[in-house]
Amino acid sequence: MIEHATASETNTADIHDPLLAWRREFPILAHTTYMISHSLGPMPLRAQAALREFTETWATRGIRAWEEGWWEMPLTCGDLIGSIIGAPRGRIVMHQNVSICQAMVVSCFDWNGERNKLVTDGLNFPSNDYIYHGLERQGAEIVSVASPDGMTVPVESILEAIDERTQLVSISHVAFRSSFVQDLAAITERAHAVGAYLVADLYQSAGILPLDVTALGLDFATGGSVKWLLGGPGAGYLYVRPGLDAKLQPVATGWAAHAHPFEFRGGPIEYAEDMHRFLNGTPNVPAMYSARSGYEIVNEIGVAAIRAKSVRQTERLIALADAAGISVRSPRDPDVRGGTIILDVADGREVTAELGRRQILVDYRPGAGIRIAPHFYTSDDEVEHTVREIVAITRT
Ligand SMILES: Cc1ncc(COP(=O)(O)O)c(C=O)c1O
């Protein structure tokens, strides 16, 4: 039973929806319509237990905890994401956030030679842009392929921008502003054809969109845990394609990336042979305890089931918006739409604040609109409730 609805109001689809049993795992859902997992997913009860396990381990095992699991956590925790995004075991390391992972990726390349071009899509996340433009000081040429409508970037424009001088192509798989899904397969193929590498930011796709980094042939992927993966802050991840290791020497590094970190040798680094070479310093252990719970839940449910429900509910959101005369700023074709729907209403920021006062959590992005994200725990009642309240607020 959905907390805010009476039996007579409950949608038939809700009664038959097995995923709603997961609501008990997320305490905030008892009193809040939580439509904001594109920004910060709700806390699972398991995360609370995991954080207790962290403090208990620290309290009872002390420094022994490093060799009893903590030191390897950036890789063991990464494996839980690997099974969500199709990465082989041992190919993902955890870092604090995407910004660090992206800085690490670009630090693997020289930017002052003939091949100095970085092609990025105009809907990439600002952090990534900031990091790329910083490379101009080293001689890089940054080509940002503009979005003609603020919502999409035509794949043809990106393909055209990639040439023999391109070192790296950076694509946001699902745009945070519009939920547009970019064609990673076509762009990766083109990048490889000219000898360039590709990094994909999966933050807005992993956990809500089925995805296979191995089948796509991605060279690098970055993402984090606060959103669809329900892991809380402080746990970003970096994937690197098997076989690339030997060639790559990230300048952004640290002692944990050394082949023999506990020999504490000075001088130039001797990189670890495997994914450890993409570590830097002391890992963010409590964040990984917390994040693991979210990955486990997404693995248990399976992304295919999450996506099927997400498509159904985002279609419903669009239909309700259309019926209310609200402009939709996300793609209408579900094949190129992620898990968020953006609705453009007058005074969107104020409407968002009022929704919050009514216990409906969404967010607002300038130039886009109100971002609304159902996830596997969302009832159809809540989808309808959200649009009903937006309509009521805009009318007053
Ligand atoms: C697509 C995308 N990339 C990157 C980020 C930010 O990543 P981080 O804060 O982990 O650096 C966000 C979210 O805020 C995002 O939506």
Side-chain angles (χ1 to χ4, degrees):
M1 179 59 63
I2 313 312
E3 290 80 356
H4 71 255
T6 63
S8 60
E9 285 170 333
T10 303
N11 273 290
T12 323
D14 288 342
I15 295 165
H16 298 293
D17 182 355
L19 294 185
L20 293 184
W22 282 97
R23 291 177 70 84
R24 285 190 288 273
E25 180 65 23
F26 300 93
I28 199 168
L29 302 183
H31 48 75
T32 304
T33 299
Y34 207 88
M35 296 289 207
I36 195 163
S37 284
H38 53 261
S39 188
L40 177 66
M43 188 210 70
L45 285 171
R46 284 187 206 183
Q48 219 165 31
L51 284 170
R52 268 198 301 273
E53 186 192 329
F54 162 70
T55 52
E56 192 58 27
T57 306
W58 184 14
T60 56
R61 302 304 297 154
I63 197 161
R64 289 168 294 198
W66 284 119
E67 60 194 39
E68 291 170 358
W70 284 8
W71 187 253
E72 284 304 318
M73 257 184 121
L75 278 101
T76 53
C77 188
D79 282 340
L80 291 171
I81 297 172
S83 50
I84 297 171
I85 65 170
R89 289 182 77 75
R91 296 310 308 173
I92 292 181
V93 288
M94 304 301 297
H95 282 288
Q96 185 183 337
N97 55 41
V98 166
S99 309
I100 287 175
C101 297
Q102 289 273 337
M104 197 164 248
V105 170
V106 299
S107 85
C108 293
F109 303 102
D110 288 332
W111 294 99
N112 58 5
E114 273 287 288
R115 207 182 255 278
N116 68 339
K117 209 165 130 178
L118 189 157
V119 175
T120 176
D121 86 73
L123 294 177
N124 223 326
F125 193 77
S127 266
N128 300 344
D129 275 359
Y130 305 156
I131 292 163
Y132 305 152
H133 284 284
L135 299 171
E136 286 166 337
R137 276 178 266 164
Q138 297 175 30
E141 182 193 342
I142 310 303
V143 175
S144 180
V145 182
S147 164
D149 55 4
M151 217 167 77
T152 60
V153 180
V155 66
E156 300 76 26
S157 312
I158 295 180
L159 298 180
E160 242 170 65
I162 301 171
D163 60 18
E164 273 69 20
R165 283 190 36 244
T166 308
Q167 174 91 268
L168 185 67
V169 180
S170 169
I171 301 296
S172 188
H173 189 200
V174 174
F176 77 101
R177 264 184 221 290
S178 63
S179 210
F180 170 64
V181 181
Q182 188 51 272
D183 185 349
L184 278 182
I187 299 170
T188 306
E189 196 185 323
R190 170 77 181 145
H192 288 172
V194 299
Y197 293 91
L198 185 128
V199 57
D201 184 344
L202 306 179
Y203 217 145
Q204 293 291 354
S205 59
I208 187 77
L209 218 64
L211 171 63
D212 189 327
V213 294
T214 307
L216 284 165
L218 304 183
D219 299 303
F220 305 94
T222 63
S225 307
V226 296
K227 306 174 194 294
W228 307 101
L229 294 177
L230 314 159
Y237 59 89
L238 169 64
Y239 161 79
V240 181
R241 179 161 64 81
L244 282 188
D245 316 39
K247 293 189 211 159
L248 299 172
Q249 306 199 330
V251 172
T253 188
W255 68 287
H258 197 280
H260 311 286
F262 295 101
E263 290 179 14
F264 300 101
R265 292 185 214 153
I269 186 167
E270 178 194 336
Y271 289 100
E273 289 289 322
D274 58 10
M275 259 322 265
H276 290 86
R277 79 201 272 129
F278 295 99
L279 292 173
N280 52 9
T282 307
N284 190 354
V285 174
M288 290 186 281
Y289 268 90
S290 142
R292 257 183 358 199
S293 316
Y295 311 153
E296 282 164 11
I297 291 170
V298 171
N299 271 307
E300 278 169 44
I301 300 172
V303 180
I306 294 174
R307 172 67 173 166
K309 176 166 175 178
S310 166
V311 168
R312 184 173 67 72
Q313 289 191 323
T314 48
E315 290 285 286
R316 181 82 186 124
L317 267 168
I318 291 176
L320 291 167
D322 284 345
I326 298 172
S327 152
V328 176
R329 296 278 300 153
S330 303
R332 284 176 177 270
D333 175 0
D335 288 346
V336 292
R337 187 178 69 228
T340 310
I341 293 296
I342 291 87
L343 299 185
D344 189 16
V345 300
D347 305 316
R349 195 184 292 279
E350 290 72 22
V351 173
T352 300
E354 178 56 24
L355 285 167
R357 287 189 281 274
R358 298 181 185 198
Q359 305 307 321
I360 300 172
L361 298 185
V362 296
D363 65 9
Y364 172 79
R365 287 291 176 272
I370 302 176
R371 300 193 303 173
I372 306 172
H375 207 351
F376 59 85
Y377 47 72
T378 305
S379 68
D380 285 13
D381 269 345
E382 289 176 310
V383 168
E384 282 165 25
H385 178 58
T386 302
V387 179
R388 219 173 20 241
E389 290 303 300
I390 292 174
V391 171
I393 295 164
T394 50
R395 283 207 179 125
T396 53

